[in-house]
Structure formats: structure tokens, C-alpha cells
mmCIF file of all heavy atoms in Angstrom:
data_model
loop_
_atom_site.group_PDB
_atom_site.id
_atom_site.type_symbol
_atom_site.label_atom_id
_atom_site.label_comp_id
_atom_site.label_asym_id
_atom_site.label_seq_id
_atom_site.Cartn_x
_atom_site.Cartn_y
_atom_site.Cartn_z
ATOM 1 N N MET Z 1 0.843 -1.216 0.004
ATOM 2 C CA MET Z 1 0.012 0.005 -0.002
ATOM 3 C C MET Z 1 0.859 1.251 -0.017
ATOM 4 O O MET Z 1 1.948 1.291 0.606
ATOM 5 C CB MET Z 1 -0.904 0.023 1.258
ATOM 6 C CG MET Z 1 -1.903 -1.109 1.318
ATOM 7 S SD MET Z 1 -3.261 -0.888 0.144
ATOM 8 C CE MET Z 1 -4.167 0.436 0.999
ATOM 9 N N SER Z 2 0.433 2.298 -0.700
ATOM 10 C CA SER Z 2 1.135 3.566 -0.680
ATOM 11 C C SER Z 2 0.816 4.246 0.662
ATOM 12 O O SER Z 2 0.014 3.776 1.479
ATOM 13 C CB SER Z 2 0.707 4.456 -1.856
ATOM 14 O OG SER Z 2 -0.669 4.710 -1.812
ATOM 15 N N ALA Z 3 1.483 5.345 0.906
ATOM 16 C CA ALA Z 3 1.366 5.991 2.210
ATOM 17 C C ALA Z 3 -0.044 6.397 2.542
ATOM 18 O O ALA Z 3 -0.440 6.321 3.721
ATOM 19 C CB ALA Z 3 2.256 7.260 2.218
ATOM 20 N N ARG Z 4 -0.843 6.790 1.565
ATOM 21 C CA ARG Z 4 -2.234 7.186 1.834
ATOM 22 C C ARG Z 4 -3.026 7.022 0.560
ATOM 23 O O ARG Z 4 -2.499 7.223 -0.537
ATOM 24 C CB ARG Z 4 -2.244 8.647 2.304
ATOM 25 C CG ARG Z 4 -3.661 9.175 2.534
ATOM 26 C CD ARG Z 4 -3.618 10.586 3.037
ATOM 27 N NE ARG Z 4 -4.972 11.167 3.073
ATOM 28 C CZ ARG Z 4 -5.239 12.435 3.416
ATOM 29 N NH1 ARG Z 4 -4.259 13.234 3.747
ATOM 30 N NH2 ARG Z 4 -6.484 12.886 3.371
ATOM 31 N N THR Z 5 -4.300 6.701 0.729
ATOM 32 C CA THR Z 5 -5.181 6.590 -0.426
ATOM 33 C C THR Z 5 -6.091 7.816 -0.434
ATOM 34 O O THR Z 5 -6.618 8.242 0.584
ATOM 35 C CB THR Z 5 -6.046 5.307 -0.307
ATOM 36 O OG1 THR Z 5 -5.171 4.193 -0.320
ATOM 37 C CG2 THR Z 5 -7.016 5.220 -1.435
ATOM 38 N N TYR Z 6 -6.270 8.339 -1.627
ATOM 39 C CA TYR Z 6 -7.070 9.574 -1.775
ATOM 40 C C TYR Z 6 -8.332 9.248 -2.583
ATOM 41 O O TYR Z 6 -8.322 8.419 -3.492
ATOM 42 C CB TYR Z 6 -6.265 10.671 -2.488
ATOM 43 C CG TYR Z 6 -5.071 11.084 -1.667
ATOM 44 C CD1 TYR Z 6 -3.849 10.425 -1.777
ATOM 45 C CD2 TYR Z 6 -5.169 12.143 -0.769
ATOM 46 C CE1 TYR Z 6 -2.753 10.827 -1.006
ATOM 47 C CE2 TYR Z 6 -4.058 12.548 0.021
ATOM 48 C CZ TYR Z 6 -2.869 11.855 -0.124
ATOM 49 O OH TYR Z 6 -1.779 12.213 0.656
ATOM 50 N N SER Z 7 -9.409 9.936 -2.227
ATOM 51 C CA SER Z 7 -10.649 9.696 -2.913
ATOM 52 C C SER Z 7 -11.534 10.963 -2.761
ATOM 53 O O SER Z 7 -11.162 11.919 -2.138
ATOM 54 C CB SER Z 7 -11.406 8.497 -2.280
ATOM 55 O OG SER Z 7 -11.687 8.755 -0.908
ATOM 56 N N GLY Z 8 -12.703 10.912 -3.414
ATOM 57 C CA GLY Z 8 -13.672 12.034 -3.303
ATOM 58 C C GLY Z 8 -13.553 13.012 -4.443
ATOM 59 O O GLY Z 8 -13.152 12.697 -5.539
ATOM 60 N N LEU Z 9 -13.928 14.255 -4.151
ATOM 61 C CA LEU Z 9 -13.959 15.316 -5.137
ATOM 62 C C LEU Z 9 -12.664 16.107 -5.151
ATOM 63 O O LEU Z 9 -12.306 16.725 -4.168
ATOM 64 C CB LEU Z 9 -15.133 16.286 -4.840
ATOM 65 C CG LEU Z 9 -16.513 15.631 -4.797
ATOM 66 C CD1 LEU Z 9 -17.575 16.707 -4.416
ATOM 67 C CD2 LEU Z 9 -16.880 14.992 -6.105
ATOM 68 N N PHE Z 10 -11.928 15.994 -6.261
ATOM 69 C CA PHE Z 10 -10.616 16.661 -6.418
ATOM 70 C C PHE Z 10 -10.679 17.555 -7.663
ATOM 71 O O PHE Z 10 -10.051 17.284 -8.667
ATOM 72 C CB PHE Z 10 -9.505 15.633 -6.585
ATOM 73 C CG PHE Z 10 -8.789 15.270 -5.339
ATOM 74 C CD1 PHE Z 10 -9.370 14.433 -4.388
ATOM 75 C CD2 PHE Z 10 -7.499 15.705 -5.103
ATOM 76 C CE1 PHE Z 10 -8.693 14.091 -3.247
ATOM 77 C CE2 PHE Z 10 -6.806 15.353 -3.961
ATOM 78 C CZ PHE Z 10 -7.415 14.526 -3.010
ATOM 79 N N PRO Z 11 -11.424 18.642 -7.612
ATOM 80 C CA PRO Z 11 -11.530 19.506 -8.802
ATOM 81 C C PRO Z 11 -10.236 20.205 -9.167
ATOM 82 O O PRO Z 11 -9.380 20.388 -8.317
ATOM 83 C CB PRO Z 11 -12.636 20.495 -8.417
ATOM 84 C CG PRO Z 11 -12.608 20.515 -6.942
ATOM 85 C CD PRO Z 11 -12.232 19.160 -6.507
ATOM 86 N N VAL Z 12 -10.189 20.632 -10.399
ATOM 87 C CA VAL Z 12 -9.020 21.343 -10.921
ATOM 88 C C VAL Z 12 -9.213 22.819 -10.713
ATOM 89 O O VAL Z 12 -10.227 23.407 -11.091
ATOM 90 C CB VAL Z 12 -8.849 21.045 -12.421
ATOM 91 C CG1 VAL Z 12 -7.754 21.915 -13.036
ATOM 92 C CG2 VAL Z 12 -8.530 19.538 -12.624
ATOM 93 N N ALA Z 13 -8.213 23.480 -10.164
ATOM 94 C CA ALA Z 13 -8.262 24.943 -9.962
ATOM 95 C C ALA Z 13 -7.918 25.683 -11.223
ATOM 96 O O ALA Z 13 -6.903 25.361 -11.853
ATOM 97 C CB ALA Z 13 -7.286 25.346 -8.849
ATOM 98 N N PRO Z 14 -8.716 26.616 -11.636
ATOM 99 C CA PRO Z 14 -8.302 27.479 -12.765
ATOM 100 C C PRO Z 14 -7.202 28.421 -12.355
ATOM 101 O O PRO Z 14 -6.998 28.670 -11.165
ATOM 102 C CB PRO Z 14 -9.588 28.259 -13.091
ATOM 103 C CG PRO Z 14 -10.318 28.323 -11.777
ATOM 104 C CD PRO Z 14 -10.013 27.037 -11.072
ATOM 105 N N THR Z 15 -6.425 28.869 -13.338
ATOM 106 C CA THR Z 15 -5.410 29.910 -13.101
ATOM 107 C C THR Z 15 -5.934 31.217 -13.584
ATOM 108 O O THR Z 15 -6.091 31.440 -14.789
ATOM 109 C CB THR Z 15 -4.113 29.560 -13.866
ATOM 110 O OG1 THR Z 15 -3.679 28.259 -13.480
ATOM 111 C CG2 THR Z 15 -3.017 30.566 -13.580
ATOM 112 N N PRO Z 16 -6.239 32.153 -12.698
ATOM 113 C CA PRO Z 16 -6.780 33.466 -13.129
ATOM 114 C C PRO Z 16 -5.703 34.377 -13.655
ATOM 115 O O PRO Z 16 -4.592 34.441 -13.139
ATOM 116 C CB PRO Z 16 -7.443 34.018 -11.866
ATOM 117 C CG PRO Z 16 -6.723 33.390 -10.748
ATOM 118 C CD PRO Z 16 -6.260 32.029 -11.212
ATOM 119 N N PHE Z 17 -6.063 35.139 -14.681
ATOM 120 C CA PHE Z 17 -5.163 36.130 -15.267
ATOM 121 C C PHE Z 17 -5.854 37.484 -15.212
ATOM 122 O O PHE Z 17 -7.120 37.564 -15.293
ATOM 123 C CB PHE Z 17 -4.823 35.779 -16.684
ATOM 124 C CG PHE Z 17 -4.171 34.455 -16.865
ATOM 125 C CD1 PHE Z 17 -4.864 33.426 -17.528
ATOM 126 C CD2 PHE Z 17 -2.921 34.214 -16.410
ATOM 127 C CE1 PHE Z 17 -4.253 32.161 -17.681
ATOM 128 C CE2 PHE Z 17 -2.308 32.971 -16.569
ATOM 129 C CZ PHE Z 17 -2.985 31.922 -17.205
ATOM 130 N N HIS Z 18 -5.062 38.555 -15.184
ATOM 131 C CA HIS Z 18 -5.616 39.874 -15.410
ATOM 132 C C HIS Z 18 -5.944 40.007 -16.916
ATOM 133 O O HIS Z 18 -5.543 39.181 -17.708
ATOM 134 C CB HIS Z 18 -4.599 40.971 -15.003
ATOM 135 C CG HIS Z 18 -4.278 40.942 -13.507
ATOM 136 N ND1 HIS Z 18 -5.217 41.249 -12.567
ATOM 137 C CD2 HIS Z 18 -3.102 40.679 -12.867
ATOM 138 C CE1 HIS Z 18 -4.670 41.196 -11.363
ATOM 139 N NE2 HIS Z 18 -3.396 40.837 -11.506
ATOM 140 N N GLU Z 19 -6.639 41.107 -17.253
ATOM 141 C CA GLU Z 19 -6.996 41.315 -18.655
ATOM 142 C C GLU Z 19 -5.794 41.370 -19.576
ATOM 143 O O GLU Z 19 -5.903 41.027 -20.735
ATOM 144 C CB GLU Z 19 -7.845 42.584 -18.780
ATOM 145 C CG GLU Z 19 -9.265 42.490 -18.192
ATOM 146 C CD GLU Z 19 -10.105 41.460 -18.923
ATOM 147 O OE1 GLU Z 19 -9.931 41.304 -20.157
ATOM 148 O OE2 GLU Z 19 -10.985 40.825 -18.272
ATOM 149 N N ASP Z 20 -4.656 41.787 -19.036
ATOM 150 C CA ASP Z 20 -3.429 41.880 -19.897
ATOM 151 C C ASP Z 20 -2.681 40.552 -19.959
ATOM 152 O O ASP Z 20 -1.603 40.483 -20.551
ATOM 153 C CB ASP Z 20 -2.512 43.008 -19.360
ATOM 154 C CG ASP Z 20 -1.986 42.713 -17.970
ATOM 155 O OD1 ASP Z 20 -2.296 41.679 -17.383
ATOM 156 O OD2 ASP Z 20 -1.206 43.555 -17.460
ATOM 157 N N GLY Z 21 -3.240 39.509 -19.358
ATOM 158 C CA GLY Z 21 -2.640 38.203 -19.423
ATOM 159 C C GLY Z 21 -1.654 37.862 -18.305
ATOM 160 O O GLY Z 21 -1.130 36.725 -18.292
ATOM 161 N N THR Z 22 -1.370 38.809 -17.417
ATOM 162 C CA THR Z 22 -0.446 38.517 -16.329
ATOM 163 C C THR Z 22 -1.211 37.720 -15.242
ATOM 164 O O THR Z 22 -2.446 37.763 -15.139
ATOM 165 C CB THR Z 22 0.083 39.816 -15.720
ATOM 166 O OG1 THR Z 22 -0.980 40.656 -15.312
ATOM 167 C CG2 THR Z 22 0.959 40.528 -16.749
ATOM 168 N N LEU Z 23 -0.467 37.012 -14.410
ATOM 169 C CA LEU Z 23 -1.029 36.218 -13.336
ATOM 170 C C LEU Z 23 -1.763 37.109 -12.359
ATOM 171 O O LEU Z 23 -1.256 38.142 -11.914
ATOM 172 C CB LEU Z 23 0.041 35.445 -12.597
ATOM 173 C CG LEU Z 23 0.776 34.308 -13.352
ATOM 174 C CD1 LEU Z 23 1.850 33.726 -12.431
ATOM 175 C CD2 LEU Z 23 -0.220 33.219 -13.782
ATOM 176 N N ASP Z 24 -2.934 36.690 -11.958
ATOM 177 C CA ASP Z 24 -3.694 37.364 -10.880
ATOM 178 C C ASP Z 24 -3.482 36.531 -9.601
ATOM 179 O O ASP Z 24 -4.261 35.588 -9.320
ATOM 180 C CB ASP Z 24 -5.176 37.416 -11.264
ATOM 181 C CG ASP Z 24 -6.027 38.078 -10.177
ATOM 182 O OD1 ASP Z 24 -5.434 38.475 -9.122
ATOM 183 O OD2 ASP Z 24 -7.259 38.122 -10.359
ATOM 184 N N LEU Z 25 -2.475 36.807 -8.851
ATOM 185 C CA LEU Z 25 -2.091 36.029 -7.684
ATOM 186 C C LEU Z 25 -3.134 36.141 -6.583
ATOM 187 O O LEU Z 25 -3.434 35.131 -5.893
ATOM 188 C CB LEU Z 25 -0.685 36.386 -7.215
ATOM 189 C CG LEU Z 25 0.409 36.158 -8.266
ATOM 190 C CD1 LEU Z 25 1.756 36.543 -7.697
ATOM 191 C CD2 LEU Z 25 0.423 34.691 -8.738
ATOM 192 N N GLU Z 26 -3.638 37.327 -6.363
ATOM 193 C CA GLU Z 26 -4.685 37.479 -5.346
ATOM 194 C C GLU Z 26 -5.955 36.708 -5.762
ATOM 195 O O GLU Z 26 -6.605 36.056 -4.936
ATOM 196 C CB GLU Z 26 -5.014 38.947 -5.119
ATOM 197 C CG GLU Z 26 -6.048 39.172 -4.022
ATOM 198 C CD GLU Z 26 -5.679 38.573 -2.709
ATOM 199 O OE1 GLU Z 26 -4.496 38.537 -2.342
ATOM 200 O OE2 GLU Z 26 -6.625 38.089 -1.993
ATOM 201 N N GLY Z 27 -6.255 36.755 -7.039
ATOM 202 C CA GLY Z 27 -7.351 35.980 -7.540
ATOM 203 C C GLY Z 27 -7.128 34.468 -7.331
ATOM 204 O O GLY Z 27 -8.087 33.723 -7.025
ATOM 205 N N GLN Z 28 -5.910 34.042 -7.526
ATOM 206 C CA GLN Z 28 -5.605 32.612 -7.335
ATOM 207 C C GLN Z 28 -5.881 32.190 -5.871
ATOM 208 O O GLN Z 28 -6.444 31.141 -5.586
ATOM 209 C CB GLN Z 28 -4.154 32.330 -7.660
ATOM 210 C CG GLN Z 28 -3.779 30.839 -7.622
ATOM 211 C CD GLN Z 28 -4.379 30.068 -8.794
ATOM 212 O OE1 GLN Z 28 -3.937 30.170 -9.919
ATOM 213 N NE2 GLN Z 28 -5.415 29.301 -8.457
ATOM 214 N N ARG Z 29 -5.512 33.047 -4.940
ATOM 215 C CA ARG Z 29 -5.816 32.770 -3.513
ATOM 216 C C ARG Z 29 -7.319 32.661 -3.292
ATOM 217 O O ARG Z 29 -7.770 31.796 -2.567
ATOM 218 C CB ARG Z 29 -5.182 33.836 -2.647
ATOM 219 C CG ARG Z 29 -3.667 33.881 -2.678
ATOM 220 C CD ARG Z 29 -3.144 34.943 -1.695
ATOM 221 N NE ARG Z 29 -1.672 35.099 -1.778
ATOM 222 C CZ ARG Z 29 -0.827 34.340 -1.130
ATOM 223 N NH1 ARG Z 29 -1.283 33.338 -0.371
ATOM 224 N NH2 ARG Z 29 0.481 34.505 -1.265
ATOM 225 N N ARG Z 30 -8.079 33.560 -3.904
ATOM 226 C CA ARG Z 30 -9.510 33.548 -3.735
ATOM 227 C C ARG Z 30 -10.159 32.282 -4.369
ATOM 228 O O ARG Z 30 -11.082 31.704 -3.820
ATOM 229 C CB ARG Z 30 -10.135 34.800 -4.308
ATOM 230 C CG ARG Z 30 -9.818 36.056 -3.499
ATOM 231 C CD ARG Z 30 -10.274 37.330 -4.202
ATOM 232 N NE ARG Z 30 -11.690 37.366 -4.438
ATOM 233 C CZ ARG Z 30 -12.616 37.679 -3.513
ATOM 234 N NH1 ARG Z 30 -12.278 37.998 -2.295
ATOM 235 N NH2 ARG Z 30 -13.905 37.727 -3.831
ATOM 236 N N VAL Z 31 -9.618 31.896 -5.534
ATOM 237 C CA VAL Z 31 -10.070 30.642 -6.144
ATOM 238 C C VAL Z 31 -9.933 29.478 -5.168
ATOM 239 O O VAL Z 31 -10.860 28.671 -4.994
ATOM 240 C CB VAL Z 31 -9.313 30.367 -7.448
ATOM 241 C CG1 VAL Z 31 -9.489 28.936 -7.898
ATOM 242 C CG2 VAL Z 31 -9.767 31.322 -8.529
ATOM 243 N N LEU Z 32 -8.770 29.357 -4.570
ATOM 244 C CA LEU Z 32 -8.529 28.222 -3.675
ATOM 245 C C LEU Z 32 -9.439 28.280 -2.438
ATOM 246 O O LEU Z 32 -9.976 27.254 -2.002
ATOM 247 C CB LEU Z 32 -7.057 28.224 -3.251
ATOM 248 C CG LEU Z 32 -6.090 28.034 -4.406
ATOM 249 C CD1 LEU Z 32 -4.680 28.400 -3.978
ATOM 250 C CD2 LEU Z 32 -6.134 26.620 -4.964
ATOM 251 N N ASP Z 33 -9.638 29.449 -1.857
ATOM 252 C CA ASP Z 33 -10.529 29.571 -0.720
ATOM 253 C C ASP Z 33 -11.964 29.246 -1.096
ATOM 254 O O ASP Z 33 -12.669 28.565 -0.327
ATOM 255 C CB ASP Z 33 -10.463 31.008 -0.162
ATOM 256 C CG ASP Z 33 -9.173 31.289 0.583
ATOM 257 O OD1 ASP Z 33 -8.427 30.313 0.914
ATOM 258 O OD2 ASP Z 33 -8.869 32.480 0.830
ATOM 259 N N CYS Z 34 -12.397 29.668 -2.292
ATOM 260 C CA CYS Z 34 -13.744 29.302 -2.754
ATOM 261 C C CYS Z 34 -13.863 27.825 -2.902
ATOM 262 O O CYS Z 34 -14.873 27.212 -2.493
ATOM 263 C CB CYS Z 34 -14.019 30.006 -4.087
ATOM 264 S SG CYS Z 34 -15.560 29.540 -4.841
ATOM 265 N N MET Z 35 -12.844 27.150 -3.460
ATOM 266 C CA MET Z 35 -12.904 25.726 -3.670
ATOM 267 C C MET Z 35 -12.970 24.938 -2.352
ATOM 268 O O MET Z 35 -13.708 23.955 -2.227
ATOM 269 C CB MET Z 35 -11.714 25.254 -4.493
ATOM 270 C CG MET Z 35 -11.747 25.760 -5.915
ATOM 271 S SD MET Z 35 -10.293 25.275 -6.888
ATOM 272 C CE MET Z 35 -10.603 23.535 -7.120
ATOM 273 N N ILE Z 36 -12.275 25.417 -1.350
ATOM 274 C CA ILE Z 36 -12.360 24.767 -0.034
ATOM 275 C C ILE Z 36 -13.785 24.915 0.499
ATOM 276 O O ILE Z 36 -14.356 23.990 1.099
ATOM 277 C CB ILE Z 36 -11.291 25.328 0.899
ATOM 278 C CG1 ILE Z 36 -9.911 24.837 0.413
ATOM 279 C CG2 ILE Z 36 -11.552 24.895 2.326
ATOM 280 C CD1 ILE Z 36 -8.761 25.517 1.091
ATOM 281 N N ASP Z 37 -14.369 26.087 0.312
ATOM 282 C CA ASP Z 37 -15.751 26.305 0.724
ATOM 283 C C ASP Z 37 -16.764 25.464 -0.045
ATOM 284 O O ASP Z 37 -17.899 25.243 0.381
ATOM 285 C CB ASP Z 37 -16.139 27.767 0.651
ATOM 286 C CG ASP Z 37 -15.465 28.619 1.716
ATOM 287 O OD1 ASP Z 37 -14.915 28.039 2.673
ATOM 288 O OD2 ASP Z 37 -15.485 29.863 1.578
ATOM 289 N N GLN Z 38 -16.343 24.987 -1.239
ATOM 290 C CA GLN Z 38 -17.196 24.111 -2.047
ATOM 291 C C GLN Z 38 -17.231 22.701 -1.535
ATOM 292 O O GLN Z 38 -17.820 21.816 -2.114
ATOM 293 C CB GLN Z 38 -16.685 24.093 -3.481
ATOM 294 C CG GLN Z 38 -16.911 25.395 -4.266
ATOM 295 C CD GLN Z 38 -16.218 25.398 -5.561
ATOM 296 O OE1 GLN Z 38 -15.070 24.875 -5.722
ATOM 297 N NE2 GLN Z 38 -16.816 26.006 -6.628
ATOM 298 N N GLN Z 39 -16.597 22.422 -0.373
ATOM 299 C CA GLN Z 39 -16.609 21.090 0.283
ATOM 300 C C GLN Z 39 -15.800 20.070 -0.494
ATOM 301 O O GLN Z 39 -16.179 18.869 -0.529
ATOM 302 C CB GLN Z 39 -18.008 20.601 0.502
ATOM 303 C CG GLN Z 39 -18.949 21.591 1.257
ATOM 304 C CD GLN Z 39 -20.355 21.053 1.327
ATOM 305 O OE1 GLN Z 39 -20.610 19.945 1.856
ATOM 306 N NE2 GLN Z 39 -21.295 21.790 0.741
ATOM 307 N N VAL Z 40 -14.714 20.487 -1.128
ATOM 308 C CA VAL Z 40 -13.931 19.521 -1.869
ATOM 309 C C VAL Z 40 -13.095 18.665 -0.943
ATOM 310 O O VAL Z 40 -12.838 19.028 0.220
ATOM 311 C CB VAL Z 40 -13.009 20.253 -2.878
ATOM 312 C CG1 VAL Z 40 -13.826 21.134 -3.806
ATOM 313 C CG2 VAL Z 40 -11.983 21.114 -2.138
ATOM 314 N N ASP Z 41 -12.655 17.517 -1.398
ATOM 315 C CA ASP Z 41 -11.783 16.634 -0.670
ATOM 316 C C ASP Z 41 -10.322 16.884 -0.982
ATOM 317 O O ASP Z 41 -9.413 16.413 -0.274
ATOM 318 C CB ASP Z 41 -12.106 15.166 -0.999
ATOM 319 C CG ASP Z 41 -13.534 14.815 -0.530
ATOM 320 O OD1 ASP Z 41 -13.793 14.892 0.669
ATOM 321 O OD2 ASP Z 41 -14.366 14.466 -1.393
ATOM 322 N N GLY Z 42 -10.066 17.620 -2.052
ATOM 323 C CA GLY Z 42 -8.707 17.938 -2.456
ATOM 324 C C GLY Z 42 -8.785 18.849 -3.675
ATOM 325 O O GLY Z 42 -9.864 19.124 -4.212
ATOM 326 N N ILE Z 43 -7.646 19.402 -4.037
ATOM 327 C CA ILE Z 43 -7.561 20.354 -5.140
ATOM 328 C C ILE Z 43 -6.397 19.970 -6.031
ATOM 329 O O ILE Z 43 -5.298 19.639 -5.543
ATOM 330 C CB ILE Z 43 -7.356 21.790 -4.653
ATOM 331 C CG1 ILE Z 43 -8.591 22.275 -3.847
ATOM 332 C CG2 ILE Z 43 -7.086 22.768 -5.822
ATOM 333 C CD1 ILE Z 43 -8.398 23.641 -3.161
ATOM 334 N N CYS Z 44 -6.621 19.978 -7.324
ATOM 335 C CA CYS Z 44 -5.546 19.755 -8.314
ATOM 336 C C CYS Z 44 -5.175 21.098 -8.951
ATOM 337 O O CYS Z 44 -6.092 21.850 -9.374
ATOM 338 C CB CYS Z 44 -6.001 18.789 -9.371
ATOM 339 S SG CYS Z 44 -4.737 18.472 -10.653
ATOM 340 N N ILE Z 45 -3.894 21.408 -8.965
ATOM 341 C CA ILE Z 45 -3.447 22.626 -9.631
ATOM 342 C C ILE Z 45 -2.558 22.327 -10.835
ATOM 343 O O ILE Z 45 -2.015 21.206 -10.950
ATOM 344 C CB ILE Z 45 -2.670 23.563 -8.645
ATOM 345 C CG1 ILE Z 45 -1.392 22.907 -8.147
ATOM 346 C CG2 ILE Z 45 -3.568 23.894 -7.437
ATOM 347 C CD1 ILE Z 45 -0.469 23.811 -7.368
ATOM 348 N N LEU Z 46 -2.430 23.272 -11.699
ATOM 349 C CA LEU Z 46 -1.547 23.229 -12.889
ATOM 350 C C LEU Z 46 -1.875 22.069 -13.817
ATOM 351 O O LEU Z 46 -1.011 21.505 -14.446
ATOM 352 C CB LEU Z 46 -0.082 23.184 -12.456
ATOM 353 C CG LEU Z 46 0.401 24.476 -11.784
ATOM 354 C CD1 LEU Z 46 1.754 24.303 -11.143
ATOM 355 C CD2 LEU Z 46 0.466 25.601 -12.850
ATOM 356 N N ALA Z 47 -3.172 21.718 -13.866
ATOM 357 C CA ALA Z 47 -3.612 20.717 -14.831
ATOM 358 C C ALA Z 47 -3.915 21.364 -16.146
ATOM 359 O O ALA Z 47 -3.759 22.591 -16.326
ATOM 360 C CB ALA Z 47 -4.862 20.010 -14.281
ATOM 361 N N ASN Z 48 -4.357 20.565 -17.137
ATOM 362 C CA ASN Z 48 -4.710 21.158 -18.427
ATOM 363 C C ASN Z 48 -5.795 22.189 -18.276
ATOM 364 O O ASN Z 48 -5.794 23.244 -18.976
ATOM 365 C CB ASN Z 48 -5.139 20.059 -19.383
ATOM 366 C CG ASN Z 48 -3.986 19.178 -19.735
ATOM 367 O OD1 ASN Z 48 -2.854 19.576 -19.818
ATOM 368 N ND2 ASN Z 48 -4.270 17.873 -19.944
#
């Protein structure tokens, strides 16, 4: 067995950008907080 088994809802976090295409880092933090409030079991980042 591996160290831990994972299951449940593991949605993919979007990467927010400003209108000029630069990273919106504060928006990224808000995305993650929103997802935790969505009752997720885990979060996947940097996916397709």
C-alpha cells in the first residue's frame, strides 16, 4: 500500500489572469478559498 489513499472530489483549480494576461495572484488565492468552501476533498493545480 502507498502512504495514503485519496478519494472524493478533487476538482481542478483554474489559473486566473488579469485582462493583460499577467497572473492574478490574489485571484488565485480567492479561487482556492472558494474551492475549499465548495466542500472539496482535495484540489488539483496546474492541470490542463
Side-chain angles (χ1 to χ4, degrees):
M1 297 286 286
S2 61
R4 177 177 171 185
T5 297
Y6 297 88
S7 61
L9 302 177
F10 266 74
V12 173
T15 303
F17 302 112
H18 296 295
E19 289 295 327
D20 64 0
T22 57
L23 292 177
D24 178 2
L25 298 180
E26 181 56 35
Q28 187 71 74
R29 294 183 186 277
R30 289 172 60 81
V31 164
L32 297 166
D33 288 345
C34 175
M35 293 177 72
I36 290 170
D37 287 347
Q38 289 170 324
Q39 306 175 59
V40 302
D41 296 298
I43 294 172
C44 178
I45 64 170
L46 292 169
N48 293 326

